[in-house]
Amino acid sequence: QVQLVESGGGLVQAGDSLRLSCAASGGTFSNYATGWFRQAPGKEREFVATIKWSGGSTYYADSVKGRFTISRDNAKNTVYLQMNSLKPDDTAVYYCARRTRVWRKIPTAPGEYDYWGQGTQVTVSS
């Protein structure tokens, strides 16, 4: 019933930019934090960035700091991931996720999120 839908992925060259979107539909649910994760073939799903809905504090993985920016549009219930200076190592399926429970620590593990989208493919060629 409640769905998260990612969009904006594609095939780009190293140094290019992309903006991913994550839109919620199908119902209303609590939103404490919305995060982006990515998973490359043969690797585990890894944390990319997250944003607190109240206040908008943001947190990033070391691998994307200074290149990626997470933001949100409250009216559209949409979260964005602006990706600049893309590298081949950024190639992965990107997922957005929502946490509906308040925690004391910053949620950076997949198990700390409650709703997931189906993912969007990002491929960066050298």
Side-chain angles (χ1 to χ4, degrees):
Q1 187 73 293
V2 177
Q3 292 186 326
L4 300 175
V5 180
E6 303 96 336
S7 62
L11 174 62
V12 298
Q13 297 186 39
D16 286 352
S17 298
L18 282 174
R19 189 179 75 160
L20 306 183
S21 299
C22 175
S25 63
T28 302
F29 54 93
S30 300
N31 186 0
Y32 172 70
T34 299
W36 285 96
F37 292 77
R38 65 187 183 186
Q39 188 167 20
K43 292 193 171 186
E44 296 182 359
R45 192 165 299 186
E46 67 174 356
F47 170 76
V48 175
T50 194
I51 183 169
K52 293 178 64 177
W53 212 252
S54 60
S57 298
T58 59
Y59 307 89
Y60 299 91
D62 289 341
S63 60
V64 304
K65 286 181 180 178
R67 299 188 297 120
F68 291 10
T69 303
I70 187 170
S71 61
R72 84 275 199 260
D73 186 328
N74 291 358
K76 297 181 178 180
N77 199 22
T78 299
V79 172
Y80 305 95
L81 184 68
Q82 178 67 45
M83 305 184 295
N84 298 327
S85 302
L86 283 163
K87 306 174 181 179
D89 286 347
D90 296 319
T91 296
V93 176
Y94 283 71
Y95 300 88
C96 69
R98 297 279 179 91
R99 178 174 173 84
T100 62
R101 297 159 290 149
V102 175
W103 271 41
R104 296 174 59 189
K105 64 182 286 290
I106 301 167
T108 58
E112 295 175 309
Y113 290 80
D114 306 300
Y115 294 93
W116 291 84
Q118 294 299 307
T120 184
Q121 177 71 48
V122 173
T123 302
V124 184
S125 62
S126 58

